[in-house]
């Protein structure tokens, strides 16, 4: 009989950084003898790695953990953990809504997770750790054990944020900005490259200020170092803050082959009045001039952005400025959000809040408009050949896709410009780089045919 192995289930809510953090939690759990499982009903430990950026994400965490009340009565040995941003924000208060929690593990407490697990096992109840820590990175295991993508991984290179945008909880839940040592980053990526990872995305709230406080190497110098790692074919990064986007970084995107020709540069609003109230540190005009520099240095660069609609005091004219900016810049894609009040962020105290219904109406108008712009931009790619890193088989056949007569396997991947590309192929495998001629285009994806092997 197979020996019984204890299992752990991790639910990750939120951003790419949380995906990375969950892999670290998985690494700790593996070191404690737990197998990571997809079955939450039979798991011995359930961890919810939470996000507090918007009200909805926070509610999702409480509702997920709340559902374990009955299970915990049935199986008192089940260990229930709230980790990450909501844990940091709520601390003790988390027990009011989820009394059956065992551990509340803040954003800087991950390295102490193991010792808290031991304490729970020896009978300690309701552990809260929201202490600050200087050493969040190096004390965590390097090897990711969650079975996510086999070709692409996120790597956190810095934590926290010093920008204090007035809507944002990040500086309060993730703390002040600090960068990880470049040697540790390079070592971790080498391990990933040896395990077959071909694409990495370097993560930080503002990668442009990587290493500044520590007086270490700059972000463009880090890109150069990472590009020398054998086996890594593509390097992406997020997020850049428009106020700190340097010519040195623009040149790194232009000159380092492995760095993808794509930049995620959140603008948040197209109105100067709103940008000022958001404390963003740039104007609509300076944002546009950075984009002009970028497009000049890196022709064809793909651009994506984050937008918030319905920020307190946003008038119909301010909103119109944002719509106009979308037209001026022609982003390839955007993430757009209705402003969500966060009690620890200063904007919660701004008096002129926008009505919820009006926020949703603006959000829908913005997304519809962006779909039209993106479709037009994608259609201009028809007939062009893009290099696609294959991510695997398409999960579904999308509307409008040309089905091949022999119903070949549909594969999916991304171009360097971060476009999702679907194509039929029997021969290619996950991790391959293939050339695909674009035949059809939609707002959020492209469809094409692979070139013959002789043209690859
Ligand atoms: N409400 C809505 N969106 C927000 N974001 C950050 N804080 C809020 C908030 N309070 C968005 C910003 C940011 C992205 C990660 O989330 O657009 O760039
Ligand atoms: Fe939040 Fe602004 Fe920092 Fe981004 S730059 S994490 S939006 S405070």
């Amino acid at each position: 009989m197979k020996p019984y192995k204890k299992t752990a289930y991790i639910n990750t809510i939120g951003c790419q950084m949380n995906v990375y953090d969950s892999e670290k939690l998985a690494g700790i759990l593996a070191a404690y003898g737990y197998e990571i499982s997809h079955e939450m009903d039979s798991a011995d430990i359930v961890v919810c790695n939470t996000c507090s950026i918007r009200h909805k994400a926070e509610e999702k965490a409480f509702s997920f953990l709340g559902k374990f009340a009955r299970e915990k009565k049935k199986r008192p040995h089940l260990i229930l953990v709230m980790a990450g941003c909501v844990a940091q924000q709520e601390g003790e208060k988390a027990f009011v809504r989820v009394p059956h929690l065992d551990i509340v593990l803040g954003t800087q407490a991950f390295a102490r997770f193991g010792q808290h697990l031991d304490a729970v096992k020896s009978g300690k109840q309701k552990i809260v750790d929201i202490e600050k820590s200087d050493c969040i990175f190096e004390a965590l295991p390097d090897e990711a054990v969650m079975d996510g993508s086999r070709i692409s991984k996120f790597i956190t290179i810095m934590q926290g944020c010093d920008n204090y945008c007035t809507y944002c909880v990040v500086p309060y839940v993730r703390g002040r900005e600090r960068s990880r040592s470049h040697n540790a980053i390079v070592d971790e990526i080498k391990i990933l490259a040896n395990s077959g990872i071909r694409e990495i995305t370097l993560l930080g709230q503002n990668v442009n200020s990587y290493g500044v406080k520590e007086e270490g190497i700059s972000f463009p110098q880090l890109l150069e170092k990472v590009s020398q790692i054998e086996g890594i074919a593509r390097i992406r990064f997020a997020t850049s803050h428009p106020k700190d986007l340097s010519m040195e970084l623009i040149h790194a995107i232009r000159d380092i082959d492995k760095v993808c020709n794509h930049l995620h540069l959140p603008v948040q609003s197209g109105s100067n009045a709103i940008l000022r109230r958001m404390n963003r540190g740039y104007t609509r005009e300076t944002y546009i001039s950075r984009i002009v520099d970028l497009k000049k240095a890196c022709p064809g660069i793909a651009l994506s952005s984050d937008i918030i609609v319905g920020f307190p005091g946003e008038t119909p004219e301010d909103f119109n400025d944002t719509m106009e900016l979308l037209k001026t810049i022609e982003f390839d894609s955007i993430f757009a959000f209705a402003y969500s009040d966060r009690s620890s962020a200063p904007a919660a105290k701004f008096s002129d809040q926008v009505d919820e219904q009006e926020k949703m109406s603006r959000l829908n108008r913005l997304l519809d408009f962006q779909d039209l712009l993106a479709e037009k931009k994608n259609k201009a790619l028809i007939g062009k050949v893009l290099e696609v890193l294959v991510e695997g088989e398409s999960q579904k056949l999308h509307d409008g896709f040309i089905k091949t007569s022999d119903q070949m396997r549909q594969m999916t991947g991304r171009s360097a410009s971060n476009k999702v590309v679907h194509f039929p192929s029997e021969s290619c495998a996950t991790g391959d780089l293939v050339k695909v001629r674009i035949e059809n285009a939609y707002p959020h994806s492209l469809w094409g045919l692979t070139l013959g092997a002789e043209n690859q």
Side-chain angles (χ1 to χ4, degrees):
M1 216 169 69
K2 220 171 128 193
Y4 175 73
K5 187 126 200 219
K6 289 180 293 176
T7 63
Y9 178 88
I10 302 179
N11 176 19
T12 307
I13 300 172
C15 65
Q16 300 168 334
M17 228 172 236
N18 271 10
V19 173
Y20 175 84
D21 288 348
S22 285
E23 295 206 321
K24 294 294 179 191
L25 289 173
I28 297 169
L29 287 164
Y32 271 72
Y34 290 90
E35 201 166 78
I36 303 303
S37 154
H38 297 290
E39 307 282 329
M40 68 173 147
D41 294 338
S42 55
D44 300 283
I45 292 193
V46 172
V47 180
C48 184
N49 192 11
T50 60
C51 167
S52 62
I53 200 118
R54 282 170 290 275
H55 179 69
K56 220 164 148 186
E58 196 175 305
E59 282 309 299
K60 215 160 136 186
F62 278 114
S63 132
F64 174 81
L65 289 164
K67 283 194 207 128
F68 286 88
R70 200 185 306 157
E71 190 65 23
K72 182 84 181 163
K73 274 210 185 97
K74 239 184 2 193
R75 292 197 289 136
H77 293 298
L78 165 68
I79 300 175
L80 204 58
V81 183
M82 175 191 262
C85 295
V86 180
Q88 185 71 35
Q89 178 184 281
E90 298 296 305
E92 287 278 345
K93 283 187 287 173
F95 297 116
V96 177
R97 287 186 66 183
V98 194
H100 47 282
L101 268 180
D102 294 290
I103 303 176
V104 174
L105 193 73
T107 51
Q108 301 186 38
F110 284 25
R112 296 182 292 274
F113 185 30
Q115 87 198 37
H116 297 322
L117 278 178
D118 285 338
V120 169
K121 284 182 195 162
S122 53
K124 199 163 171 207
Q125 291 181 329
K126 296 194 189 315
I127 295 172
V128 180
D129 186 347
I130 52 171
E131 293 301 309
K132 295 212 165 69
S133 169
D134 288 336
C135 154
I136 355 183
F137 297 114
E138 312 330 342
L140 297 175
D142 267 344
E143 269 159 292
V145 295
M146 296 261 286
D147 62 351
S149 168
R150 306 218 180 280
I151 53 151
S152 181
K153 286 277 183 208
F154 302 124
I155 314 283
T156 293
I157 62 163
M158 53 207 294
Q159 280 272 10
C161 184
D162 288 348
N163 286 307
Y164 294 96
C165 301
T166 54
Y167 50 81
C168 187
V169 289
V170 169
Y172 310 99
V173 293
R174 291 251 179 202
R176 302 303 301 257
E177 184 182 287
R178 55 233 175 264
S179 299
R180 193 175 170 194
S181 92
H182 62 87
N183 287 330
I185 297 167
V186 167
D187 287 348
E188 187 173 357
I189 297 173
K190 279 184 182 160
I191 293 172
L192 294 174
N194 285 337
S195 74
I197 295 299
R198 308 220 61 204
E199 176 182 88
I200 48 126
T201 305
L202 305 176
L203 301 175
Q205 305 297 346
N206 180 12
V207 293
N208 306 90
S209 53
Y210 172 80
V212 171
K213 271 187 180 171
E214 290 77 9
E215 297 178 17
I217 65 169
S218 69
F219 183 62
Q221 286 167 332
L222 178 68
L223 286 174
E224 185 60 54
K225 276 194 184 297
V226 171
S227 74
Q228 285 157 17
I229 300 173
E230 221 177 293
I232 296 297
R234 284 182 175 177
I235 304 167
R236 302 185 185 279
F237 56 90
T239 292
S240 294
H241 196 301
K243 76 176 165 51
D244 299 320
L245 176 63
S246 64
M247 277 317 283
E248 195 193 354
L249 179 57
I250 294 177
H251 291 154
I253 302 171
R254 180 192 64 190
D255 297 335
I256 306 174
D257 281 349
K258 289 182 182 177
V259 174
C260 291
N261 204 21
H262 165 229
L263 188 69
H264 183 63
L265 198 65
V267 66
Q268 312 296 359
S269 170
S271 151
N272 280 338
I274 297 297
L275 287 171
R276 206 167 34 247
R277 284 163 67 88
M278 286 177 162
N279 190 32
R280 288 292 288 173
Y282 55 86
T283 61
R284 171 194 180 89
E285 291 72 27
T286 50
Y287 185 90
I288 293 172
S289 89
R290 295 275 74 184
I291 297 286
V292 170
D293 291 339
L294 248 174
K295 287 185 176 173
K296 207 177 337 159
C298 313
I301 189 162
L303 295 166
S304 57
S305 201
D306 292 345
I307 311 260
I308 297 177
V309 301
F311 184 78
E314 186 188 75
T315 62
E317 291 71 33
D318 292 321
F319 174 66
N320 203 39
D321 285 348
T322 302
M323 296 281 265
E324 282 296 320
L325 187 74
L326 295 191
K327 206 156 77 184
T328 307
I329 305 280
E330 296 186 321
F331 292 110
D332 292 77
S333 62
I334 60 163
F335 298 92
F337 313 97
Y339 168 73
S340 170
D341 228 11
R342 310 283 60 217
S343 57
S344 47
K349 298 196 182 63
F350 293 3
S351 55
D352 33 8
Q353 301 280 333
V354 176
D355 172 74
E356 279 307 316
Q357 242 181 334
E358 178 59 23
K359 277 190 218 170
M360 293 322 291
S361 151
R362 288 181 194 176
L363 182 62
N364 289 330
R365 270 184 286 155
L366 185 96
L367 289 170
D368 287 348
F369 186 50
Q370 171 60 24
D371 274 0
L372 291 177
L373 296 169
E375 185 161 21
K376 188 172 145 227
K377 220 172 168 191
N378 283 348
K379 288 233 185 290
L381 293 171
I382 292 177
K384 298 241 163 29
V385 175
L386 300 182
E387 190 176 58
V388 174
L389 179 61
V390 181
E391 289 176 2
E393 257 185 81
S394 296
Q395 293 307 306
K396 53 183 179 189
L397 276 181
H398 298 260
D399 282 352
F401 277 5
I402 307 159
K403 286 193 183 159
T404 45
S405 53
D406 50 359
Q407 292 293 302
M408 258 204 262
R409 197 168 64 130
Q410 298 280 329
M411 303 300 287
T412 189
R414 270 171 205 270
S415 68
S417 55
N418 211 28
K419 307 267 180 193
V420 174
V421 183
H422 300 279
F423 57 95
S425 170
E426 287 296 356
S427 56
C428 75
T430 298
D432 285 354
L433 278 168
V434 293
K435 295 218 168 75
V436 178
R437 193 182 59 244
I438 304 306
E439 304 287 337
N440 226 332
Y442 310 92
H444 304 283
S445 62
L446 304 168
W447 191 90
L449 296 170
T450 47
L451 296 190
E454 68 282 7
N455 295 321
Q456 286 288 336

